Amino acid sequence: MEAIRPVPRTLLRDRAYEAIRDAIVAGDIAPGAVVKDAELAERLGLSRAPVRDAFSRLVDEGLLESKPQSYTRVTPVVAADVRDAAAVVGAMHELVTRAALPRLLADHIGAMRESNARFAAAVRDGDVSAALRADDELHDVLVRVSGNRAAAATVARYTPLIRRLERRRFGEGGNCRSAGLHDELIDACAVGDVDEAVRVTAEIWRGLEDLADLDT
C-alpha cells in the first residue's frame, strides 16, 4: 500500500474515497486484502470518520465487502460483475455520445485528439496507468458536453470495476484498446455523424465485455 499518501484536509470524505478507490483499482490493495479504518486513516493523515464514510461508499459500489463486527475487505475481481458493469457503462457512453455530438466545438474535438495521442503513446510505452487515464479523459469530453449528470454519475460509479480487470489483463501481457477505434470515434464526432459515433462507442465498450468473458 505504498501508493497511499496523506491528503489535504479539504473535502476529506471525498479525498479519502478517491485515494482508497484508486489504490484498489491499481492493485496496491489487492483483492481479498482486509482493510482497517484506523490503519488507512493514519496513512492518509485523516481521522477515522472520513475513512469509514469512504468504506461505506466503496461497499455500495462493489469494491469492498463488509461483515459487521468482523472484517472489511477488497472484493475479488468477478468476471460477471465486470461484464455487467461494462454493459451499463457502455450504454451510458452511447447515450452521452448521442447527446453531445450536436454540442461539440472544435476545442472539444482537439481535446479528444490530444487525449488519444497521449493514449497511443502510453500504450507504446507499456504505461497502463497513463493509457487508462488518457482514455478516461477522451471519453469524459463527451460525458461533460452531454450535460447528463445521471449518466456521468453512473459512469463514475461503475468504471472502477472495469478498470481493475483491465489493469490485471494488461499486466499479464494483454493489449490496451486500439487507438484506431478512438480515431474512428473522433472522426465521426468531427463531422457530426451521430450514428457512426454511437456505433464505434458500442464497439469500444463491447470489447470490454469480451475482456470479461476471457476471464471466466
Side-chain angles (χ1 to χ4, degrees):
M1 292 187 286
E2 293 299 321
I4 297 290
R5 294 288 187 271
V7 297
R9 300 188 70 83
T10 57
L11 302 174
L12 298 184
R13 177 175 58 189
D14 290 342
R15 296 300 297 274
Y17 161 78
E18 291 169 4
I20 299 167
R21 177 202 62 195
D22 291 350
I24 292 171
V25 171
D28 294 316
I29 308 178
V34 173
V35 292
K36 298 179 179 180
D37 55 7
E39 177 184 337
L40 287 178
E42 181 177 359
R43 286 178 176 272
L44 292 169
L46 301 173
S47 69
R48 295 168 69 174
V51 174
R52 287 172 178 164
D53 287 340
F55 280 8
S56 178
R57 186 172 171 184
L58 290 162
V59 167
D60 186 51
E61 294 181 359
L63 291 175
L64 292 178
E65 57 188 4
S66 181
K67 182 177 180 180
Q69 310 302 320
S70 182
Y71 62 77
T72 299
R73 65 189 178 195
V74 179
T75 57
V77 178
V78 179
D81 292 342
V82 175
R83 190 183 309 110
D84 290 346
V88 170
V89 171
M92 292 300 100
H93 278 291
E94 291 179 48
L95 177 67
V96 300
T97 296
R98 192 175 295 280
L101 249 70
R103 307 176 184 179
L104 287 174
L105 303 176
D107 286 349
H108 298 133
I109 300 298
M112 293 173 72
R113 293 199 188 281
E114 290 174 7
S115 294
N116 198 33
R118 290 194 295 274
F119 174 84
V123 171
R124 286 194 301 271
D125 294 341
D127 188 339
V128 176
S129 294
L132 295 180
R133 188 162 54 248
D135 184 69
D136 283 338
E137 291 169 358
L138 188 159
H139 291 286
D140 188 55
V141 172
L142 296 172
V143 174
R144 286 187 288 103
V145 173
S146 77
N148 190 321
R149 295 173 63 185
T154 302
V155 167
R157 173 170 180 166
Y158 290 106
T159 296
L161 290 173
I162 304 167
R163 292 309 195 203
R164 283 209 295 169
L165 179 58
E166 284 186 281
R167 283 180 175 274
R168 191 176 81 185
R169 292 291 298 175
F170 299 154
E172 294 169 351
N175 295 315
C176 286
R177 281 173 280 165
S178 170
L181 279 176
H182 287 158
D183 282 331
E184 291 180 32
L185 172 60
I186 296 166
D187 289 345
C189 290
V191 299
D193 189 337
V194 175
D195 289 341
E196 176 64 5
V198 171
R199 183 197 67 78
V200 177
T201 297
E203 183 175 351
I204 289 170
W205 292 94
R206 187 164 54 247
L208 287 175
E209 292 184 59
D210 293 342
L211 183 69
D213 289 335
L214 291 173
D215 207 58
T216 55

